[in-house]
Amino acid sequence: MPHSTNGRYRSARRAPSDTRCGAPSSEENSMTAHPLDSLTAAEFTATSALLAQQKQIDAGWRYASIILKEPPKSEVKAWREGDPIVRRSLAVLWNKQSNQVYEAVVNLSDGVLDSWTHVPGVTPNFTIDEYHDCDETLRQNPEVRARLQQRGVDPDLVLFDLWTYGREVMPEQWRDRRLGWVDLWARATPDGNPYAHPVSGLKIIVDVNTMEVLDFDEAHDHGMPAVDAEYVPEVRGLKPRTDLKPLDVVQPEGVSFDLEGSRLRWQNWEFRLGFNYREGPVLYQVRFKDGDEYRDIAYRMSLAEMIVPYRDSSFDHYRRTAFDIGEWGLGYMCTSLELGCDCLGEITYLDGVLPDTKGEPYTIKNVICLHEEDDAVLWKHVDPDAGAEVRRMRRFVVSVHATVANYEYLVYLRFYPDGNIECEIRATGIMVTTPMSEQGTTFPTGTVVDERTYAPYHQHFLVARIDMDVDGEDNTVVETESFAPPISESNPLGLDLHTRATVIESEKDAGRTYRWETQRGWKVQNPNRLNAWGNPTAYKLAPSGQFPAMFDATSPVLKRNPVIGNTLWVTRHHDDQLWPAGDYPTQSADDLGNGMTAWISDDESLVNTDVVLWYVFGIHHITRTEDWPIMPVDKVSFELKPFGFFDRNPSLDAPRSEPKGACCGPSHTCDN
């Protein structure tokens, strides 16, 4: 579901003293060319201009997306600064009259069309333009207005919220169309919460190409209970507290990171940063400087899919399963960030450039936030004779915020001086609610949160794609578990704790499930490089935020996205395997075209080869009254941790902090 950068970005530094939301940004960032640099505004324009010239693309067509056609991984890794770069874009577009879909690969360096391919039987992602067009068109539709007025609802206060379909729940007679269903929400006042009052029992079915209303699907009218749904203080009539003193983060000597083009360096870390319409931020070529050597950790890391099924089979919700990344695009929904509100401290902002449905570029200002944060203590010990040694933990953060209709997803990618990488997602925003036919204290598939109103249970499944390159491409994934051996002569007290490791040998064993009772985890090892103690260098996926899908094996929802059926998948790397629920999940029935089921069907070897991890994590949202009318952030995260990658703690050389009345050296502490 949408809001409104792919593309190359510009940076802007904000002074820490300027904490006003909406303060302007400045200073262009000089660019250094690299094969993985995101597309520029000029390259979006060149793509659509060439297709207009060679394929007569006009207003009868819409662009679903234009994205960098990334060179093969082997070519990128072989590339050296100064080598030529061939730039290509991949455009997905469709004809609104015929509904036919095409993929175009444009060679931007030579100004030629490399390929023009018809892709039958698929529906591209919905777009922000269509979402807003639908909202405006339906509000002016006479029949829609009449239906609402019959219910006593003012059409001018209604939000028409466009959703996509899965094939199983599409009306059969319209399965060949670009079909949407529309939720309706009414504000109490023009400035009120747009999601305050669902118009229950009424959905509008729309041909999104023409915005023709095909049907009014109507089941009931439970009215609009008198809910307490406003959260903006001025609308609610609430006076905010005044008991908080200012808290500013100041770095008087500036930041400790360096951004040159798309390459970022901070302490011992180095990586490249990209941004596109589908994944939002992408991290490339993540490395850590160990002595004089930059060592590979991962080639490409991103969020590849987000699946949100509402676990309520009632009329108002049975269609409500969102593939927010595949059906809409996380990048398209990213929003501008504001100093003091979304980010605090000495901030470097990056603007993003994306294409609209005409193929024309537009800019989302300040879409990515780069900054350092203090994170309490890195390491510490107090020796009774020598005194205390303590080091502060500082971390580097890449963040974006995406507004996905009623929800906000706040994405934080964090790097730590001890070699850890963390991905944290925070969910906030406004829950979907539904009127009940009569007042009650409970509801089978949700929580009663207000007068005659419940919020349905739902789940947020996120799929992280992690293309690991631990000291190179030739890696093996090992599943690790802990167990207590039985009491024996050598273990008379039952104190012993052992671990066992199982190699995931081929893709027939690709799907793995977390087991709490054995503290199961997964290490990506390089069997060709040993640490000082004779063990393969490795990084470990420390799982958290995982939960079972809880779907019947025959459920069409699970059939459409079987990737959520396991905690982890391991596949062999292929350049074209990016989207685990398929290239085109909109209106899909399954993932057999080019998704996880198809990828593992050939049972490729996973031993000593180039592997990709697909980690499934998220939020199992059993709704609460405290989540209403606006939800405090719910946090979920996972970590990649060095596990024998280094010979010892890599942060031993972390500097002591400057004295603040005491220093972090012998006989002193500095650990608040």
Side-chain angles (χ1 to χ4, degrees):
M1 299 296 296
H3 189 89
S4 354
T5 279
N6 168 314
R8 184 173 291 187
Y9 34 72
R10 301 191 302 274
S11 74
R13 182 71 50 79
R14 293 257 185 103
S17 59
D18 186 355
T19 56
R20 293 179 294 113
C21 293
S25 61
S26 60
E27 296 185 21
E28 294 293 318
N29 179 47
S30 60
M31 302 303 298
T32 301
H34 186 273
L36 295 174
D37 287 343
S38 300
L39 294 178
T40 65
E43 288 173 321
F44 288 124
T45 299
T47 299
S48 56
L50 187 143
L51 290 174
Q53 179 187 39
Q54 296 200 11
K55 291 298 177 181
Q56 293 72 55
I57 303 304
D58 56 19
W61 293 73
R62 278 188 188 266
Y63 283 86
S65 61
I66 305 174
I67 195 171
L68 174 70
K69 175 73 171 173
E70 294 180 15
K73 180 178 178 179
S74 58
E75 291 183 13
V76 174
K77 297 193 76 170
W79 181 87
R80 295 295 179 266
E81 188 171 346
D83 290 350
I85 300 174
V86 178
R87 300 280 287 173
R88 289 183 171 87
S89 61
L90 169 63
V92 175
L93 60 167
W94 77 98
N95 184 286
K96 290 194 290 183
Q97 183 174 359
S98 68
N99 208 31
Q100 291 189 333
V101 179
Y102 289 83
E103 294 180 355
V105 177
V106 174
N107 184 319
L108 295 161
S109 299
D110 296 337
V112 297
L113 181 61
D114 280 355
S115 64
W116 174 257
T117 307
H118 177 227
V119 187
V122 302
T123 301
N125 55 277
F126 279 24
T127 67
I128 304 299
D129 290 350
E130 291 172 300
Y131 182 86
H132 293 302
D133 288 351
C134 180
D135 182 43
E136 293 172 6
T137 302
L138 293 190
R139 190 172 296 105
Q140 302 306 318
N141 183 294
E143 192 173 2
V144 171
R145 295 182 70 86
R147 291 271 182 151
L148 289 170
Q149 287 164 350
Q150 288 171 11
R151 287 174 169 242
V153 177
D154 182 352
D156 293 324
L157 295 178
V158 171
L159 168 66
F160 297 90
D161 188 14
L162 177 64
W163 284 68
T164 59
Y165 272 105
R167 186 171 180 81
E168 183 69 23
V169 293
M170 291 178 72
E172 288 192 25
Q173 67 270 35
W174 297 312
R175 285 184 173 178
D176 60 340
R177 301 203 188 199
R178 188 171 175 83
L179 199 68
W181 66 274
V182 180
D183 236 355
L184 293 86
W185 304 85
R187 302 173 188 264
T189 67
D191 297 322
N193 177 359
Y195 294 98
H197 299 282
V199 181
S200 67
L202 175 63
K203 311 298 175 189
I204 303 175
I205 302 174
V206 176
D207 183 320
V208 182
N209 280 328
T210 63
M211 294 301 166
E212 174 191 0
V213 173
L214 300 174
D215 193 21
F216 292 89
D217 193 359
E218 197 158 6
H220 59 258
D221 181 0
H222 292 331
M224 293 187 181
V227 295
D228 181 14
E230 303 303 341
Y231 62 92
V232 176
E234 291 79 5
V235 178
R236 190 175 176 84
L238 177 69
K239 186 176 181 180
R241 299 196 319 270
T242 58
D243 55 353
L244 283 179
K245 306 300 183 186
L247 190 159
D248 290 330
V249 177
V250 178
Q251 293 179 265
E253 297 180 19
V255 299
S256 303
F257 60 90
D258 176 70
L259 180 65
E260 183 179 348
S262 62
R263 189 194 70 191
L264 193 143
R265 284 180 171 169
W266 175 76
Q267 297 198 39
N268 290 317
W269 287 102
E270 178 187 272
F271 58 88
R272 290 191 177 272
L273 181 60
F275 189 85
N276 66 60
Y277 85 95
R278 191 157 177 165
E279 298 156 288
V282 182
L283 304 179
Y284 297 104
Q285 296 183 303
V286 179
R287 306 194 300 172
F288 193 97
K289 189 177 182 182
D290 185 13
D292 295 328
E293 179 188 8
Y294 271 104
R295 298 173 62 187
D296 291 345
I297 295 172
Y299 176 73
R300 194 181 192 280
M301 304 168 66
S302 69
L303 293 175
E305 192 53 271
M306 178 162 56
I307 301 159
V308 185
Y310 278 74
R311 307 307 299 268
D312 183 342
S313 298
S314 68
F315 174 86
D316 280 316
H317 302 296
Y318 76 89
R319 296 164 256 234
R320 197 184 303 275
T321 296
F323 288 59
D324 288 319
I325 290 176
E327 290 180 333
W328 290 96
L330 186 67
Y332 278 146
M333 297 181 287
C334 285
T335 58
S336 296
L337 301 175
E338 297 291 347
L339 187 67
C341 305
D342 301 306
C343 309
L344 185 64
E346 180 74 25
I347 307 298
T348 294
Y349 286 113
L350 304 180
D351 298 339
V353 185
L354 287 177
D356 62 17
T357 54
K358 298 177 182 178
E360 297 174 355
Y362 68 95
T363 298
I364 304 177
K365 298 289 292 181
N366 299 351
V367 73
I368 297 177
C369 172
L370 306 176
H371 72 293
E372 299 169 282
E373 290 179 340
D374 181 82
D375 190 38
V377 170
L378 170 62
W379 55 260
K380 176 183 178 179
H381 180 63
V382 180
D383 186 284
D385 297 320
E389 285 285 348
V390 58
R391 298 295 183 271
R392 298 296 299 176
M393 172 81 84
R394 189 182 298 192
R395 62 190 184 188
F396 183 78
V397 186
V398 179
S399 63
V400 298
H401 295 180
T403 296
V404 185
N406 56 302
Y407 261 109
E408 264 75 20
Y409 294 95
L410 320 180
V411 181
Y412 300 92
L413 307 171
R414 300 188 179 115
F415 294 83
Y416 292 84
D418 59 357
N420 286 357
I421 303 171
E422 180 188 32
C423 173
E424 182 186 82
I425 311 295
R426 299 185 177 197
T428 180
I430 304 170
M431 293 189 301
V432 166
T433 58
T434 310
M436 301 184 294
S437 58
E438 55 187 34
Q439 184 63 41
T441 59
T442 61
F443 197 85
T445 55
T447 299
V448 175
V449 296
D450 210 321
E451 183 73 24
R452 201 163 53 80
T453 295
Y454 76 97
Y457 304 145
H458 55 283
Q459 297 162 303
H460 305 254
F461 294 94
L462 294 133
V463 185
R465 182 185 187 274
I466 312 168
D467 182 354
M468 298 295 290
D469 275 5
V470 176
D471 280 324
E473 294 181 6
D474 294 333
N475 293 170
T476 298
V477 180
V478 175
E479 187 169 83
T480 62
E481 296 182 283
S482 301
F483 67 95
I487 289 178
S488 64
E489 185 177 341
S490 63
N491 181 31
L493 301 178
L495 278 172
D496 288 4
L497 185 67
H498 293 181
T499 62
R500 55 175 169 257
T502 304
V503 172
I504 303 175
E505 295 188 348
S506 73
E507 288 180 336
K508 69 177 173 59
D509 299 317
R512 316 305 300 171
T513 302
Y514 178 72
R515 291 185 63 185
W516 178 85
E517 63 272 23
T518 63
Q519 292 297 286
R520 179 176 284 179
W522 297 275
K523 289 193 295 186
V524 182
Q525 297 180 334
N526 187 329
N528 311 294
R529 179 163 177 169
L530 306 182
N531 62 23
W533 320 116
N535 293 308
T537 59
Y539 254 75
K540 183 175 183 178
L541 172 62
S544 60
Q546 73 288 318
F547 53 91
M550 299 184 184
F551 277 102
D552 187 281
T554 63
S555 168
V557 178
L558 187 62
K559 182 181 179 183
R560 191 180 170 207
N561 62 108
V563 67
I564 68 173
N566 283 298
T567 311
L568 179 78
W569 299 80
V570 185
T571 63
R572 193 165 181 168
H573 172 269
H574 293 276
D575 290 323
D576 62 346
Q577 293 183 359
L578 294 171
W579 319 120
D583 292 354
Y584 296 95
T586 308
Q587 299 181 191
S588 65
D590 54 48
D591 68 340
L592 297 177
N594 186 25
M596 187 60 68
T597 302
W599 299 342
I600 65 175
S601 62
D602 55 359
D603 191 26
E604 289 185 286
S605 172
L606 298 173
V607 177
N608 202 15
T609 190
D610 195 358
V611 297
V612 179
L613 306 183
W614 308 81
Y615 183 58
V616 183
F617 68 113
I619 298 170
H620 184 73
H621 195 173
I622 302 302
T623 49
R624 308 178 301 155
T625 55
E626 291 84 356
D627 294 333
W628 180 250
I630 191 164
M631 177 180 161
V633 292
D634 202 344
K635 296 181 285 188
V636 65
S637 65
F638 71 90
E639 286 186 300
L640 294 170
K641 303 172 73 72
F643 201 100
F645 185 81
F646 303 104
D647 295 335
R648 54 192 51 78
N649 180 350
S651 65
L652 288 173
D653 60 353
R656 290 180 174 134
S657 299
E658 289 296 319
K660 304 288 185 183
C663 69
C664 302
S667 303
H668 298 281
T669 60
C670 183
D671 52 2
N672 290 327

